[in-house]
Amino acid sequence: MKAFISSLSVLLIISSAFAQPDNTSLNKQQRVKYYQEFLCFSSGKEDLTRVDVFIQVPYSEIQFVKNGQSFIAQYSLTISVFDENREKLINEKIWNEKINADDFDQTLSKENFNLSLKSVELKPGNYIIRTAMEDKDSRKEFSVDNNFTVRDFSSGINISDIMLIAKQEVVEGSNKIRPNVSKDVVVQRDGIQIFYEIYSDSSADVLMDYSITDKDENVVHKQNEIINLKAGTNQNFKTIKDSVLSLGPHKLLVSIFDLKSKLITSASKIFISRWSGVPGNVQDLEKAIEQMTYIASDDELDFIEEAETREDKIKRFLDFWKSKDPNPQDEQNEVFNEYYRRVAYSNEQFSHYNEGWQTDRGMVYILLGPPNNIDRHPFDYDSKPYEVWQYYDINRQFVFLDDTGFGDYRLVTPLYGDDYRYR
C-alpha cells in the first residue's frame, strides 16, 4: 500500500507510511512507532494557514489478526493541537484505520505501511501538536508531542514548507505524488525530488537557490535558476540532481532572491541521506568502518582505510559486506543489516563512559546476538552488581561485573576461540 498525493491544486489525497517534523539540529533524531510529518501551505484565507499532518504506520508496528483467508489490522489515530503553553485544546481529530493483507508475509514486509492525512487550519503562531496511535488488537498506545510553528503566508512573496517526494507519476493527466514521510533519501540513484508552493501578490522574476549542508553545516551542493512567478499560487516540482552526499543528516535550503541578489524568503527541510543497500542506521562511513572491528580483521580494516579516494573507500566498504552476504541473489544482505542492528541496539542499551558498541556487553551482544537469558543481580547484599548472560546454543555464559557501582559492567572472563567469532 503506497500513498499518493494528487496535485491539481495540490490536493493532498492519501493511501498508505515514520517521520518527525523538522528539527533545528541535524544531530538529533527521535524514533517513535510511526512516522509523522507536518507541512504548512496557504489555505487561501488571509488569517489561516493549512497544516497537512501525515501519519505513516509500518505494518511491523501493528497487530494483524487472521480473518478468513486474509489478515486485518485496526488502529485509531488522534491529532490534538494545543496552544504553546499547553493550556488550551484548539483542535482535535480522531479517526480509525483498517488494513487488509492478503497473506501473512505482507504483514511482515518492511516495505509495507499505511499512510493517513488530515488537515487543520490554524492561525500563524507556535503550537504543540500531539499525535497518538492505539492498536485495536494489542491495545498498545503510542504518542509524541511536537513543538510546531505555523507560518504566515498572508502578504508579499512566501514559500510553503518543502515536501520530499518518494514517487511521482502522471495518471490520466493528473500529477500524483507519494510523499517521502520518513525523509530517508537515496540520493545517488534519483537525486532529491521535492514539491513546494510559492505565493506572490504579483508577477515577478526571481532567483531560486537550492543548497544542501551536512551536519557540520558545510555546503556540499548548490544550484540555482531563474523562474517567473505569476500572481497567486505557483506550484513547483524540482529534482536536485548531481548531489552525491555522504551518509547521515543533511539540510536542504530553498531560498528566493530578487534579481539584485536580495533575499526575499526561504524554507528548509532536514533529511537523511542513504546509500542503496546500506542499513538505515548507518549514517557515518568512518564510524561504520570503525565499528567493524568485531567482524573484520586488521588487514581488512587497513585495506578499507588506506583507500586513496573516498569513492574507493566506499567501494571497499560495500565490497566487504557483499562478501558476507549469505544470499547475494536477493536485495537484502542479512549479515550487513543484522550487524548494524546489533551496533545500534548496543548504543541504545549499553552506552556509559563509552559508546555502547565499545563496551564489554556491547561487544558480546554484537558478536553473539541477544542471549537466551539474562540473570541480573543489581542489589545483592554481599556482592557488587553483576549480570550473567546465558547462550544455550553454544553452552556458554558470561559474567559482567559493575565494579565501580556506576553501571560500567566489565566482562569477568575474556572471549577467546572460534565459538566467539561473529554469529
Side-chain angles (χ1 to χ4, degrees), residues 352-353 384-385 401-410:
H352 194 56
Y353 299 114
K384 295 179 179 179
L401 178 67
D402 179 12
D403 192 53
T404 65
F406 291 100
D408 185 20
Y409 285 85
R410 300 295 181 92

Side-chain angles (χ1 to χ4, degrees), residues 2 12 111 119 196 246 253 341 405:
K2 306 294 185 183
L12 302 180
E111 303 301 320
S119 298
Y196 61 91
S246 60
L253 180 66
R341 185 200 67 79

Side-chain angles (χ1 to χ4, degrees), residues 30 43 59 61 151 161 192 203 297 323 334 401:
Q30 180 183 18
S43 69
Y59 280 14
E61 298 298 334
R151 299 170 59 209
D161 286 340
I192 304 173
S203 297
S297 68
S323 71
E334 292 82 357
L401 178 67

Side-chain angles (χ1 to χ4, degrees), residues 298-340:
D298 290 343
D299 287 344
E300 288 171 322
L301 289 174
D302 288 344
F303 177 71
I304 296 173
E305 291 286 9
E306 291 169 359
E308 293 185 0
T309 66
R310 180 173 178 81
E311 290 73 20
D312 192 28
K313 180 178 287 190
I314 293 170
K315 182 179 184 303
R316 293 182 183 189
F317 172 75
L318 296 177
D319 285 348
F320 171 87
W321 287 107
K322 189 181 299 182
S323 71
K324 302 294 182 183
D325 191 351
N327 299 295
Q329 290 77 23
D330 62 24
E331 293 184 1
Q332 295 295 322
N333 185 334
E334 292 82 357
V335 172
F336 200 178
N337 293 334
E338 175 62 15
Y339 188 86
Y340 284 104

Side-chain angles (χ1 to χ4, degrees), residues 364 368-376 388-398 419-420 423:
V364 173
L368 302 179
N372 300 107
N373 182 62
I374 299 179
D375 187 14
R376 294 185 172 90
V388 181
W389 290 18
Q390 297 170 324
Y391 289 86
Y392 301 147
D393 55 339
I394 61 173
N395 193 28
R396 294 290 188 273
Q397 68 178 25
F398 304 94
D419 283 344
Y420 308 123
R423 300 168 65 87

